Amino acid sequence: MGSESHDSVHIFLFPFLAHGHMIPVSDMAKLFASHGVKTTIVTTPQNALRFAKTTQSRKPTSGFEIEIEIKTIEFPCEEAGLPKGCENLDLLPSPELVDNFLKASRLLQAPLELLLKELKPSCLVADMFFPWATEAAAKFGIPRLVFHGTSFFSLCASECVRLHEPYKSVSSETEPFVIPNLPGGIELTRSQVPDFVKNNVVNDLTQLLKDAKESELKSYGVVVNSFYELEPVYADYYRNG
């Protein structure tokens, strides 16, 4: 990939279907396109309308016209037990439907693979909530990059809490503890740790997070919604961890 010219590089961006994930991917798409890289966002019909509004062509200082292609794949709402047209996590009428939404997201693998086979992009930048994307890209010899919509600090703090379980060493929900091995002496209380973490819950979400971690280790690399100057200590800690 490193020897290709900008003209021949084709980036596929595959964001999770929630606004907090779509907004940074929209910014990333414009950044790639502003450097003359062919950029395609893969999403569903309802979400494509949102991306069309945020990625309209403009003339950046680089001199390149920004052109971002949007390819759509159908979201299997009814097959997963969701109301028709419920293609974004923020549109769910009830929290009880989150598992259905995650099921529908897993069913996107086959249509994504058809696009990968047809268009053969240089790489696939897929959200961490699509752990199966690593396997899908590998079928066609395409490197997959994992996209995290959060910061390096958040990723490092979560991993240190997961590994060392410091919330088990306190006697109450409000007693503070220092996150072990994390720079900065950051304190939390047990009440700030998600219930599914401290209670070792096993459900669709926790299984998805486990799968995401495993697929990240097999992927080509990671893209984080941050920049080095914002949090150099945690960027270095993440890279060296």
Side-chain angles (χ1 to χ4, degrees), residues 21 24-25 28 125-128 144-149 223-225:
H21 296 248
V25 166
M28 182 165 42
V125 182
D127 196 280
M128 55 99 46
R144 183 264 173 118
L145 298 170
V146 178
F147 174 68
H148 284 288
V223 179
V224 178
N225 184 27

Side-chain angles (χ1 to χ4, degrees), residues 13 23 31 38 60 73 76 93 150 153 176-177 192 194 202 222 224-225:
L13 299 173
I23 292 170
L31 183 62
K38 184 177 181 181
I73 53 180
T150 186
F153 169 77
F177 59 83
Q192 292 175 294
V202 178
V222 171
V224 178
N225 184 27

Side-chain angles (χ1 to χ4, degrees), residues 51-138:
F51 277 117
K53 294 178 181 178
T54 60
T55 58
Q56 289 179 345
S57 185
R58 62 183 176 85
K59 284 189 176 180
T61 55
S62 66
F64 287 101
E65 280 286 351
I66 291 184
E67 292 184 12
I68 298 169
E69 188 172 12
I70 299 173
K71 290 287 187 180
T72 60
I73 53 180
E74 293 299 319
F75 193 68
C77 295
E78 296 173 356
E79 190 175 342
L82 294 171
K84 188 175 181 179
C86 194
E87 300 178 11
N88 192 291
L89 188 66
D90 301 308
L91 295 178
L92 290 185
S94 168
E96 283 73 34
L97 291 174
V98 169
D99 286 347
N100 301 67
F101 192 86
L102 295 178
K103 176 185 176 182
S105 299
R106 291 193 294 271
L107 295 175
L108 295 176
Q109 180 170 354
L112 176 68
E113 288 183 2
L114 288 176
L115 274 182
L116 293 174
K117 182 178 181 180
E118 176 190 354
L119 299 178
K120 298 180 176 61
S122 306
C123 78
L124 171 67
V125 182
D127 196 280
M128 55 99 46
F129 280 118
F130 298 127
W132 45 262
T134 299
E135 175 192 349

